[in-house]
């Protein structure tokens, strides 16, 4: 490549071809791929392979016992190898009645693309491919080797990512990973760069009563599993947000002073978030540094869903025969999902709720990348070349991601950057990204490819 | 009518024409009429009018602000007037996946008819009409005047039955009412004769969080309405079944010794019920007289349904924006639904749950008929003429019924007898009655018509 690489030409190509790249994203989003319900997964897998084909990647479908990992390579004996981790599955779209447009027919409104998965994670997956495509169109050859690990089970806890890491050490080998995605603050416009994630432990608790729903007059003498569940839940966390499971906090590595300062340095516009979510105050009225510490460094215990008996219109006088609740615990460094499940079991037994069953649906460890790794600097430099505003670096994002599963046994640095924003409605109705962020995200990815060489 | 009336001839006619009468019942059950969802109500109303037409009743549709009351008369200047109160609406059929046959396509299996509403209350409504029909076919003229009050809003709390009582005193006027229905014990075969009911107060509690569902990582700092509801509920009743709402028990008229003895005299086969419902013990392991007292004379607080967030297959990491619970309180003499709602509001406020909204969907007072009223003897005599086993007389049935609304200002005795049984799955999947009970129920109704003359 004579005369060196000018990123500006690639940026311009991306700018000029954004309609093509938007059409690719829409094509990807319009294909449902709900792993939790095994809906559209086969079709989506083929689509992902076709997209990787557009950039000439050597594509392999790695079978797992679940949905396969689509693995791609663009190797050309370069010194450095960069990997993109993304997932092609999405969350279920309900509550469907709260969507303003069909979640699987992308719609553009107010400079935003609305679709299930557009922020999490198809916008990022496609942006990585577009960046490579644009670079190829402008300069032909790539300055680094590229690997693509696109899994189809992230939204159900990545049960086979560890298997990938163990079974395919050569495919795992890399010098740095751009992990999944990230957000940009809609107000101050600053990009969030993540160096890690909280862990997660997701469980379903269930309780059975009589062998059939009964007329509620029987409730005078027959056990109600909904009450059992309510009583059990009320022992798990109190109104001060203190988790009552014995030993829950024991293993946590407390924040050191450097980490505290790091968290305190992160801007967080409380007024904007309150307005955005329509709330008058944050949980327990916390604010300032305490708020940021809770968000970034505190574990949680969340009712994600609860159901029992009749929940339709009107009134039905029924004694339910079954009750269930979905709970997620977000974990911080040194907490382990399998231990949390054991502590939960012990707790319920001790409180007399031996009749409540626990089913763990997935677990992930927390993970952190060393902020001093040179790869982090490469990413930060790339961000600065695309965005006017300086990025915000997070010790870990508040969400969870299966980083640990893939990178646990390695020293590979992983950094999260992406095309979503703080109003993207992840996992919620009207999920969306800004077209402007999508285009910038493609450009930023291209910059990482160049700067890592 | 020369030679007097032999009930045996009417009984025989019913026996011989049971296929006709079963076909009428199936026709009624196959017409959905879910008042809570306004489904099929118009069609059902017309069907009820057509059935009353078969026995030559003068039919009037009494408009209310909701579903009309279908009122029928067969007057012939007889001394006594008997009224049948029934309802033509049914409960919603969910959970639909637990039905072995279509709830609105009646199916006969093992000598039983399965359909939504067959026990509650179409089996009884049609049985009353069949009894009159059979009597007319055998003897032409009826020995008493008959009135029919068939409402379409019983399953949503009979909001217009009081209006009927007030606006149509002439139509209300009667010497006795066969009220709605009743059950027969499947084991000892004895018919339950009810002289009253518990009251009911049905409310929906709801709580709102952010203005949209959020990614559950936000739960570290944003209020979760599902937790709010769980905490609030846990203050309403404890594991010892003590209702914690201040003042809840204050107004209750305690059982006197006669009533206690009456309740104790009611047989209750605990082993059979435990086996039937697949339970190992009754609530809090109560048994014997205490069990019967709880069932018949204790108020309850029941979670009929609870819902928040994601409740589908798999795991969704969501912070719900809304949570709701449906609660019913069964009330005993001197408790008033409107006061219970006020006590509940006060309680929630006192406990800090001012953010939880209460919506009362319906309320009914408890009601009791004097066991010494001569009409009670007429019914008991009629029961004995049809059933081999002696009936069991209940001071009040454990369920609720809007007796108070219609009869509050009167001295009209109301007795509950009907065609269902203790395994009829009221308000539940696979609702059913025994064909044998249906035929006997028609005969018993014919006997009351004769014996009341």
């Amino acid at each position: 490549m004579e005369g060196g690489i000018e990123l500006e030409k690639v940026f311009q190509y991306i700018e000029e071809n954004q309609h093509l790249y938007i059409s690719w994203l829409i094509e990807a989003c319009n294909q449902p791929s709900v792993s939790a319900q095994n809906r559209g997964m086969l079709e989506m897998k083929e689509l992902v392979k076709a997209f990787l084909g557009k950039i000439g990647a050597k594509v392999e479908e790695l079978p797992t016992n679940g949905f396969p990992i689509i693995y791609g390579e663009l190797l050309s004996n370069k010194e450095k190898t960069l990997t993109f981790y993304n997932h092609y599955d999405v969350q279920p779209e309900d509550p469907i009645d709260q969507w303003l447009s069909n979640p699987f027919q992308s719609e553009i409104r107010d400079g935003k693309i609305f679709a299930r998965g557009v922020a999490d994670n198809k916008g990022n997956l496609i942006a990585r491919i577009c960046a490579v495509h644009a670079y190829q169109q402008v300069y032909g050859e790539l300055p680094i080797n590229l690997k693509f690990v696109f899994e189809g089970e992230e939204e159900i806890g990545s049960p086979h990512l560890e298997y990938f890491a163990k079974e395919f050490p050569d495919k795992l080998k890399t010098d740095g990973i751009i992990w999944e995605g990230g957000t940009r603050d809609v107000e101050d416009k600053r990009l969030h760069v993540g160096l890690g994630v909280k862990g997660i432990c997701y469980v379903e608790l269930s309780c059975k009563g009589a062998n059939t729903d009964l007329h509620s007059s029987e409730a005078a003498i027959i056990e109600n599993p909904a009450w059992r569940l309510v009583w059990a839940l009320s022992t798990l966390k109190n109104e001060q947000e203190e988790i009552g499971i014995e030993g829950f906090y024991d293993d946590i590595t407390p924040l050191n002073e450097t980490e505290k300062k790091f968290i305190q340095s992160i801007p967080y516009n409380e007024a904007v978030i309150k307005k955005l979510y329509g709330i008058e105050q944050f949980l327990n009225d916390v604010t300032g540094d305490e708020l940021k510490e809770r968000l970034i460094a505190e574990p949680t215990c969340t009712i994600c869903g609860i159901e029992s008996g009749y929940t339709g219109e009107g009134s039905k006088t029924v004694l339910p025969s079954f009750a269930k609740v979905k709970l997620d615990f977000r974990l911080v460094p040194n907490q382990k999902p399998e231990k949390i499940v054991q502590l939960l079991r012990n707790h319920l037994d001790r409180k007399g709720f031996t009749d409540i069953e626990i089913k763990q649906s997935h677990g992930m460890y927390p993970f952190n990348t060393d902020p001093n790794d040179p790869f982090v600097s490469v990413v930060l430099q790339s961000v600065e070349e695309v965005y006017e505003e300086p990025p915000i670096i997070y010790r870990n994002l508040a969400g969870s991601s299966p980083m640990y599963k893939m990178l646990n046994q390695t020293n590979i640095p992983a950094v999260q950057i992406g095309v979503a924003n703080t109003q993207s409605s992840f996992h919620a109705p009207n999920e969306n990204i800004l077209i402007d962020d999508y285009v910038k995200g493609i450009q930023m990815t291209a910059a990482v490819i160049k700067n890592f060489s």
Side-chain angles (χ1 to χ4, degrees), chain A:
Chain A
M1 282 166 284
E2 26 179 357
I5 296 297
E6 289 170 53
L7 263 176
E8 206 42 58
K9 287 190 185 168
V10 181
F11 287 177
Q12 198 181 326
Y13 184 90
I14 292 165
E15 193 81 31
E16 286 168 5
N17 289 275
Q18 59 178 284
H19 293 300
L20 173 68
Y21 294 152
I22 290 168
S23 77
W24 288 5
L25 175 55
I26 286 175
E27 191 183 349
C29 290
N30 288 4
Q31 172 58 54
S33 55
V34 184
S35 49
Q37 302 163 347
N38 192 3
R39 189 148 54 95
M41 294 304 290
L42 261 173
E43 294 83 349
M44 189 66 212
K45 175 194 80 178
E46 293 305 321
L47 196 54
V48 169
K49 285 154 78 174
F51 276 116
L52 282 170
K54 287 183 201 285
I55 52 171
K58 186 183 143 211
V59 181
E60 277 181 78
E61 183 177 323
L62 307 180
T64 68
N65 280 330
F67 303 113
I69 288 166
I70 305 303
Y71 174 76
E73 275 182 356
L74 271 169
L75 306 185
S76 46
N77 282 314
K78 295 295 185 303
E79 192 197 331
K80 287 285 175 59
T81 300
L82 174 66
T83 297
F84 296 113
Y85 163 85
N86 292 91
H87 60 90
Y88 62 85
D89 62 328
V90 301
Q91 283 275 321
E93 68 275 27
D94 40 7
I96 182 74
D97 58 341
Q98 289 178 30
W99 282 81
L100 299 178
S101 53
N102 186 321
F104 296 113
Q105 284 175 20
S106 308
E107 203 172 286
I108 295 179
R109 301 192 297 271
D110 306 328
K112 298 172 191 169
I113 308 175
F114 289 83
R116 169 52 88 227
V118 71
D120 183 15
N121 180 243
K122 291 175 177 174
N124 294 298
L125 188 153
I126 300 296
R128 309 310 181 206
I129 290 171
C130 295
V132 178
H133 180 267
Y135 204 102
Q136 288 172 328
Q137 299 308 305
V138 176
Y139 290 108
E141 202 185 346
L142 293 166
I144 53 173
N145 302 313
L146 289 180
K147 292 181 176 178
F148 304 85
V149 179
F150 293 162
E151 73 154 319
E153 301 181 315
E154 200 272 346
E155 299 296 3
I156 52 172
S158 303
H160 298 102
L161 208 53
E162 240 168 328
Y163 163 84
F164 167 79
K166 266 189 206 155
E167 292 297 309
F168 305 99
D170 286 351
K171 293 180 168 60
L172 176 63
K173 202 165 176 287
T174 190
D175 301 302
I177 294 189
I178 296 297
W179 192 272
E180 197 177 356
T183 53
R184 190 184 184 194
D185 190 300
V186 281
E187 294 301 321
D188 65 19
K189 309 291 181 204
R190 296 172 67 187
L191 195 81
H192 298 174
V193 176
L195 305 181
V197 285
K198 285 187 183 174
I200 189 171
C201 173
Y202 199 102
V203 295
E204 184 170 301
L205 307 187
S206 62
C207 187
K208 284 180 190 151
N211 52 16
T212 180
D213 286 357
L214 296 172
H215 191 279
S216 69
S217 58
E218 303 277 7
I221 56 166
I222 310 272
E223 191 80 79
N224 184 338
W227 274 117
R228 297 287 301 160
L229 210 54
V230 161
W231 292 323
L233 285 170
S234 72
T235 70
L236 296 187
K237 191 168 82 165
N238 65 21
E239 289 181 63
Q240 288 70 51
E241 291 291 317
E242 293 155 350
I243 295 168
I245 300 165
E246 209 169 297
F248 182 83
Y249 296 100
D250 287 0
D251 294 340
I252 296 175
T253 313
L255 294 176
N256 59 38
E257 281 311 304
T258 319
E259 288 171 318
K260 278 198 180 181
K261 282 199 183 122
F262 186 69
I263 288 169
Q264 286 163 15
S265 74
I266 298 164
Y268 191 82
N269 194 327
E270 297 182 17
V272 166
I273 297 293
K274 284 197 276 194
K275 194 174 164 208
L276 175 63
Y277 294 158
I279 56 174
E280 301 202 350
Q281 58 190 50
F282 289 97
L283 196 52
N284 297 131
D285 222 358
V286 293
T287 179
D289 290 342
E290 193 189 345
L291 183 74
K292 287 186 275 187
E293 268 186 36
R294 282 211 191 175
L295 180 62
I296 293 165
E298 285 285 311
T300 63
C301 171
T302 303
I303 297 174
C304 293
I306 185 168
E307 187 179 34
S308 182
Y310 180 71
T311 57
E313 280 304 295
S315 52
K316 186 176 174 190
T317 49
V318 66
L319 168 62
S321 59
F322 183 72
K324 69 175 181 185
V325 65
K326 290 170 194 274
L327 281 182
D328 90 3
F329 296 90
R330 299 278 168 173
L331 308 178
V332 296
N334 215 31
Q335 286 188 302
K336 294 171 190 64
E338 66 275 15
K339 181 161 178 197
I340 298 299
V341 172
Q342 190 53 56
L343 292 174
L344 177 62
R345 180 72 272 162
N346 296 347
H347 170 88
L348 290 174
D349 290 350
R350 206 161 31 229
K351 295 284 183 182
F353 296 106
T354 51
D355 53 330
I356 291 182
E357 274 185 36
I358 304 176
K359 197 178 108 196
Q360 188 186 355
S361 60
H362 68 272
M364 282 188 285
Y365 283 62
F367 184 83
N368 289 297
T369 284
D370 177 4
N372 296 316
D373 190 287
F375 180 62
V376 175
S377 309
V378 166
V379 174
L380 293 178
Q381 183 198 335
S382 307
V383 171
E384 278 160 29
E385 284 172 5
V386 173
Y387 298 89
E388 285 173 27
E389 307 77 12
I392 307 170
I393 306 156
Y394 279 91
R395 171 182 177 269
N396 58 249
L397 297 179
S400 295
S401 188
M403 287 177 140
Y404 182 94
K405 290 197 172 185
M406 193 159 124
L407 307 177
N408 176 26
Q409 303 292 329
T410 76
N411 290 316
I412 302 168
V415 180
Q416 299 144 299
I417 45 171
V419 304
N421 64 68
T422 44
Q423 297 183 13
S424 276
S425 297
F426 285 82
H427 295 198
N430 306 308
E431 182 175 347
N432 70 90
I433 61 170
L434 285 156
I435 288 175
D436 187 49
D437 284 333
Y438 179 58
V439 174
K440 281 206 166 56
I442 298 171
Q443 293 173 329
M444 170 175 64
T445 306
V448 173
I449 290 171
K450 189 231 161 196
N451 293 327
F452 201 34
S453 66

